[in-house]
Amino acid sequence: MSGKAGPRRPGDGTTSKTRLDRGRGALGPALELVHTGRAPTRAVLTAELGVTRATAGAVAAELEALGLIHVDARPTAPGGSQGRPSHRLELAENGPVALAAQVHADGFRAALVALGGRIVATAPGCEAVDADPAKVLGSVVEAGAELLRATGRRCVGAGLAVPSAVAEPEGLALNPLHLDWPPGSPVREIFAEQVRAAGITGPAFAANDVNLAALAEHRHGAGRGSRDLLCVATGHRGVGGALVLDGRLHTGSSGLALEVGHLTVNPEGRPCHCGSRGCLDVEADPLALLTTAGRAPGPVVSLLQQANDLIRYEYADPGVRAAVGTLVDRLGLGLAGLVNILNPDRIILGGLHRTLLDADPERLRAVVADRSLWGRSGVVPIVPCTLDFNSLVGAAELAWQPVLDDPLSALSAA
């Protein structure tokens, strides 16, 4: 008998190493599917990746070896079905985390966020923001570093959310109007320096807070399943917007797209920081609601909490109800203009706008329908954001993205 091997048929003698080599390029897509909840079992992962069961098994095993997911050793059949049992895929309970930081007009917050958008720990910061961005970012990074020390978790990188358009590729905060920071502050560079100084490994990123909220909601919240998602939100001051097109965040040619706060919705309205009048930024934020309702802002809690509490606990007051109606009308005008231009398949509202939607959903939807090009026959679904701290979760998504793109390379570098 000759020692020379005969021709090998497809699948004969394929080793697990060979299967994994073939699936290396699938590690990132596979992790993203589990990360976003679209592959709860190995069978679904196999179908979504378009690979063999053996290759999907090897990919899942490699992700488990990297400490990113857990593969249930006991396959189970889908509930109520007669299908073939499949191994469940879950994100590792004690796996790595990303450091997420957010700065806003009323303070800052740091958090550790695991895969799946799960917040592991948070550390609220001060209630006043210094005019020196290096001082503020140093404080928020130190708060995050303390969380890492306390939990002992491995960190893959850091992401920062700021209430300003962030120009790319330089990472400059062009208009941090409500922070009193100098226009054009190099926030990404400063943040990265503070991260390195704190001994935190991995890359550091920075982006606009509403962009990051939209990214988080699209992957883990109210925007799941949407192809063209519009997010409009007001947090502590001003109004921001973001757009996810075909599953990707649309930031324009240099990161400055969707500055919706400067849509004019009341030509005779309040002066805006941009030099115009009646912009959404000053007609539909928490300060606008308090002012319209004849309430003086207090110093104890944030403007956002004051505005939300006013609606939740004093909506029966005619003055408060009228103020809510005014803001709903202004917001509806702005949304209708955006619908005419962008044609999204879903709108999600965050911050105070979520509370306004809850207070009078029919009025807001009617204003948008009456003022949009397609009218009531083509009205776009308007729903509230569902994630707590969605800008923080979105900041973590920035840090997780290199791992989602190439788990092996990213984790070996971190």
Side-chain angles (χ1 to χ4, degrees), residues 211-409:
N211 277 352
L212 296 179
L215 181 62
E217 293 284 348
H218 185 264
R219 291 183 173 179
H220 308 294
R224 273 183 171 176
S226 173
R227 177 171 175 169
D228 298 324
L229 175 69
L230 173 64
C231 175
V232 176
T234 178
H236 299 264
R237 291 290 303 275
V239 175
L243 185 66
V244 178
L245 291 178
D246 200 18
R248 293 183 175 275
L249 191 63
H250 175 71
T251 56
S253 60
S254 57
L256 307 181
L258 270 292
E259 279 290 304
V260 305
H262 299 290
L263 287 173
T264 299
V265 293
N266 181 18
E268 306 302 319
R270 298 177 177 85
C272 183
H273 314 281
C274 70
S276 185
R277 300 186 71 89
C279 295
L280 203 59
D281 212 51
V282 292
E283 296 288 339
D285 78 339
L287 183 59
L289 177 66
L290 295 170
T291 303
T292 305
R295 306 300 174 90
V300 178
V301 298
S302 71
L303 291 174
L304 176 60
Q305 184 176 333
Q306 291 178 60
N308 280 332
D309 288 348
L310 187 66
I311 298 174
R312 289 168 181 157
Y313 304 122
E314 299 186 52
Y315 191 56
D317 183 293
V320 173
R321 186 182 290 271
V324 169
T326 298
L327 259 73
V328 164
D329 290 345
R330 301 285 188 243
L331 175 60
L333 285 173
L335 293 178
L338 292 168
V339 167
N340 290 338
I341 296 169
L342 302 173
N343 188 31
D345 58 30
R346 192 180 311 174
I347 298 171
I348 58 174
L349 300 180
L352 176 62
H353 294 164
R354 176 170 61 177
T355 311
L356 292 173
L357 176 64
D358 291 340
D360 201 343
E362 296 308 316
R363 179 169 182 162
L364 179 60
R365 292 181 176 121
V367 172
V368 175
D370 289 342
R371 296 293 186 129
S372 65
L373 183 62
W374 313 114
R376 295 183 183 274
S377 62
V379 67
V380 181
I382 304 174
V383 299
C385 292
T386 58
L387 297 178
D388 293 329
F389 308 120
N390 51 18
S391 291
L392 274 175
V393 174
E397 290 295 315
L398 293 180
W400 274 114
Q401 193 58 54
V403 181
L404 297 174
D405 291 338
D406 189 347
L408 279 173
S409 297

Side-chain angles (χ1 to χ4, degrees), residues 94-191:
N94 296 310
V97 294
L99 168 60
Q102 181 179 11
V103 179
H104 51 72
D106 292 309
F108 60 72
R109 183 180 294 270
L112 304 183
V113 185
L115 282 167
R118 180 172 62 89
I119 296 179
V120 173
T122 61
C126 66
E127 295 181 355
V129 177
D130 194 272
D132 180 0
K135 183 175 179 180
V136 178
L137 296 181
S139 297
V140 72
V141 168
E142 179 52 37
E146 179 57 35
L147 291 176
L148 288 169
R149 288 190 288 268
T151 61
R153 303 289 279 262
R154 179 183 183 184
C155 185
V156 300
L160 170 68
V162 292
S164 168
V166 178
E168 295 297 341
E170 299 90 353
L172 308 178
L174 292 188
N175 57 344
L177 298 172
H178 306 299
L179 297 181
D180 292 325
W181 287 359
S185 295
V187 290
R188 188 173 62 205
E189 180 182 340
I190 296 171
F191 182 60

